[in-house]
């Protein structure tokens, strides 16, 4: 595997760990305002992000590359409202999608079919990641003047399976 690709895959591994950190930080925010269902959903999401990072970990090793773990950036720790938090989550996923697409382009440019094939899973996954963050964001906007709606959504999100 080319050095540049190995380095870019390592960067994405770090971004996935940062994603876990960001969602865990959001979970802590929701715990602090007693919306336990949102907190649960975000804790499950954080675990999913760690599993994404592990896919990069295993793939880099399989290709005889070297995993290099870098510092994980400190995430934001507070939000002004649930809507603001999920706006951030949605925008974060859009950013991750563009990083994945850049990686696909790099793999293509280098005729690295194995990396391109590996990334296909992430291209599809990002469609889902964006859709679910956006759905919660849009619902939260509808709930802005309805505490009842917020509690119903909290209850629903608390049922997310691990
Ligand atoms: Fe690993 Fe939320 O994308």
């Amino acid at each position: 595997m080319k050095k540049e690709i190995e380095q870019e895959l390592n960067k994405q591994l770090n971004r996935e760990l940062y994603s876990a950190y960001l969602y865990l930080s959001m979970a802590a925010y929701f715990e602090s305002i007693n919306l336990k269902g949102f907190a649960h959903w975000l804790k499950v999401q954080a675990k999913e992000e760690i599993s994404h990072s592990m896919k990069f970990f295993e793939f880099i090793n399989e290709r005889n590359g070297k995993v290099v773990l870098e510092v994980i950036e400190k995430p934001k720790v507070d939000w002004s409202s649930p809507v603001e938090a999920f706006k951030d989550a949605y925008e974060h996923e859009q950013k991750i999608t563009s990083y994945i697409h850049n990686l696909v382009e790099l793999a293509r440019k280098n005729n690295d079919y194995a990396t391109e094939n590996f990334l296909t899973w992430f291209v599809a996954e990002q469609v889902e990641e964006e859709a679910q963050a956006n759905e919660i964001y849009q619902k939260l906007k509808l709930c802005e003047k309805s505490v009842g709606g917020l509690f119903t959504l909290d209850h629903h999100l608390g049922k997310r399976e691990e």
Side-chain angles (χ1 to χ4, degrees), residues 12 15-17 19-20 23 45 48-53 56 89 92-93 96-97 100 121-122 125-126 128-130 132-133:
Q12 189 59 32
R15 289 183 197 114
E16 300 291 345
L17 288 175
S19 301
Y23 293 134
Q45 187 60 27
E48 202 174 295
E49 297 300 353
I50 291 173
S51 79
H52 293 172
S53 74
F56 282 93
H92 176 70
E93 287 302 336
I96 292 294
T97 299
I100 296 288
W121 185 88
F122 283 92
E125 176 69 7
Q126 280 311 117
E128 197 187 302
E129 293 280 269
E130 278 191 37
Q132 63 183 12

Side-chain angles (χ1 to χ4, degrees), residues 145-157:
K145 288 187 185 74
S146 155
V147 177
L150 186 65
F151 288 152
T152 303
L153 189 53
D154 187 59
H155 181 74
H156 172 70
L157 295 178

Side-chain angles (χ1 to χ4, degrees), residues 21-53:
Y21 230 38
L22 175 67
Y23 293 134
L24 210 48
S25 190
M26 283 184 187
Y29 159 71
F30 279 100
E31 293 273 2
S32 78
I33 56 169
N34 287 307
L35 288 171
K36 305 271 186 202
F38 281 91
H40 168 78
W41 191 94
L42 285 156
K43 284 186 273 186
V44 174
Q45 187 60 27
K47 282 188 199 159
E48 202 174 295
E49 297 300 353
I50 291 173
S51 79
H52 293 172
S53 74

Side-chain angles (χ1 to χ4, degrees), residues 1-14 52-69 103 115 118:
M1 179 166 59
K2 283 208 173 142
K3 205 76 207 158
E4 187 189 0
I5 293 183
E6 180 185 323
Q7 284 167 350
E8 291 305 315
L9 291 172
N10 265 302
K11 280 189 201 165
Q12 189 59 32
L13 189 163
N14 181 277
H52 293 172
S53 74
M54 288 308 295
K55 283 184 191 286
F56 282 93
F57 186 99
E58 304 300 354
F59 182 72
I60 293 166
N61 286 323
E62 268 173 7
R63 302 288 308 283
N64 282 324
K66 170 94 172 76
V67 168
V68 179
L69 297 179
L103 272 168
T115 298
F118 164 73

Side-chain angles (χ1 to χ4, degrees), residues 18-26 72-79:
Y18 171 76
S19 301
Y21 230 38
L22 175 67
Y23 293 134
L24 210 48
S25 190
M26 283 184 187
I72 304 168
E73 192 189 328
K74 182 179 177 178
K76 194 164 157 178
V77 295
D78 243 323
W79 286 268

